[in-house]
Amino acid sequence: MRRPARRRIGVRLPNRSGRPRVGPRMRDVGREPDRSADPVLVPPEVARAAAAHGLGAPVLTHRSGPDRVWLPLWGGFLFGVITIVLAVGPSTVWTPAGPATAGCAGLLLTHAIQLLSVAGTGLYLFDHGVVHRKGGAVTAFPWRDTRLWRSVVRDRFVKHPYRYRLQRPGAPPVVLSPALDLHEFGPEMERRLTAERTPVDLAAVAAGRRVGYGPFTVDRHGLTTPKGFIPWARVRGAEVGRRGRVRVWQAGARRPVRVRGRTVPNVVVFLAVVDAMRRA
């Protein structure tokens, strides 16, 4: 006698960490998260600035509050007190431990000051740009006319050690400190800038125009670098190294052409354009 088929009960299994799966759903195609079920709320003044520049719908926010300041502030104060106690104690105790505690106090207090300087900063990413809000100043940066500089900084307290500078005609530039710790916001901002600007720049090159990226210039025939002109047939690729330097590799050369990444505007777009042109 056949056993009756077991009825499957739908159970939402937890992920590897043991916690239930939460967060934005994933689309069937690609890896871009579908945040349609998670509406992003923005202040009215930010929404007005975004609408005035045609930035589309909001997709991600990042706000830096003053609550992040207290832990390094108290840590620095504690190590400072220990340093003072050791300084007035016997020299045999001060010699090995004093510099270490003084260094820890300095690092923590410096980090607390950095966090305090970015407290109250709000960043709002939209389909076609980003809005920066600090105090009463609200500045919109549509991707169509915004230039973004990125530089690498050494900061052991952040996961995303980049400093960004946004600039567009008719608006003051805005610097995004690494203390904001944009480990999620930064890569998504770069991805959306690349997706919107790369087709535009490639179309300009295909129409016979020259597109500049600071020390580099791209045209239909090749890439102009500080070291000279390289035809596309000899361009092996372009990349950004660990220290933020942009490196362009060419056939027949042992060393790449190197420039500092902070001198190349829209460096992520530049890398995508070079990759597309050398493969064409």
Side-chain angles (χ1 to χ4, degrees), residues 215-217 223-230 234-241 244-261 263-264 270-271:
F216 298 107
T217 304
L223 175 64
T224 302
T225 75
K227 299 294 184 180
F229 178 79
I230 309 174
R234 294 184 56 198
V235 176
R236 296 300 187 191
E239 62 182 1
V240 178
R245 290 183 178 272
V246 178
R247 300 182 293 194
V248 176
W249 298 87
Q250 59 178 316
R254 294 183 178 180
R255 296 182 179 179
V257 178
R258 294 187 179 93
V259 300
R260 294 183 178 180
T263 65
V264 184
F270 168 74
L271 298 178

Side-chain angles (χ1 to χ4, degrees), residues 73-114:
L73 185 62
W74 281 110
F77 176 76
L78 177 61
F79 276 103
V81 171
I82 295 174
T83 302
I84 295 174
V85 172
L86 293 176
V88 299
S91 58
T92 55
V93 177
W94 163 255
T95 301
T101 57
C104 290
L107 287 174
L108 290 172
L109 290 176
T110 300
H111 185 55
I113 293 173
Q114 292 174 346

Side-chain angles (χ1 to χ4, degrees), residues 49-246:
H53 291 85
L55 301 189
V59 295
L60 190 63
T61 64
H62 181 91
R63 290 181 289 270
S64 180
D67 53 324
R68 299 171 59 205
V69 180
W70 296 111
L71 182 60
L73 185 62
W74 281 110
F77 176 76
L78 177 61
F79 276 103
V81 171
I82 295 174
T83 302
I84 295 174
V85 172
L86 293 176
V88 299
S91 58
T92 55
V93 177
W94 163 255
T95 301
T101 57
C104 290
L107 287 174
L108 290 172
L109 290 176
T110 300
H111 185 55
I113 293 173
Q114 292 174 346
L115 292 177
L116 190 61
S117 67
V118 300
T121 300
L123 294 171
Y124 305 86
L125 187 63
F126 291 78
D127 287 331
H128 306 292
V130 65
V131 176
H132 174 270
R133 179 174 178 263
K134 180 71 180 291
V138 178
T139 310
F141 294 94
W143 298 141
R144 61 180 177 271
D145 58 0
T146 294
R147 308 183 87 187
L148 181 145
W149 284 264
R150 187 185 73 179
S151 58
V152 176
V153 296
R154 296 181 180 180
D155 193 334
R156 65 188 66 186
F157 295 104
V158 298
K159 300 177 183 178
H160 193 67
Y162 293 114
R163 176 181 288 110
Y164 296 100
R165 183 163 66 92
L166 296 163
Q167 188 171 0
R168 70 169 176 84
V174 168
V175 176
L176 306 182
S177 167
L180 290 168
D181 203 7
L182 304 177
H183 61 277
E184 179 184 1
F185 193 95
E188 183 67 13
M189 178 176 64
E190 294 179 8
R191 189 189 70 79
R192 290 183 175 271
L193 171 66
T194 305
E196 182 152 332
R197 288 296 299 269
T198 301
V200 176
D201 290 0
L202 287 174
V205 173
R209 296 196 293 272
R210 294 165 62 87
V211 180
Y213 301 92
F216 298 107
T217 304
V218 175
D219 60 32
R220 286 188 297 183
H221 306 290
L223 175 64
T224 302
T225 75
K227 299 294 184 180
F229 178 79
I230 309 174
W232 289 121
R234 294 184 56 198
V235 176
R236 296 300 187 191
E239 62 182 1
V240 178
R242 282 186 175 181
R243 298 182 179 180
R245 290 183 178 272
V246 178

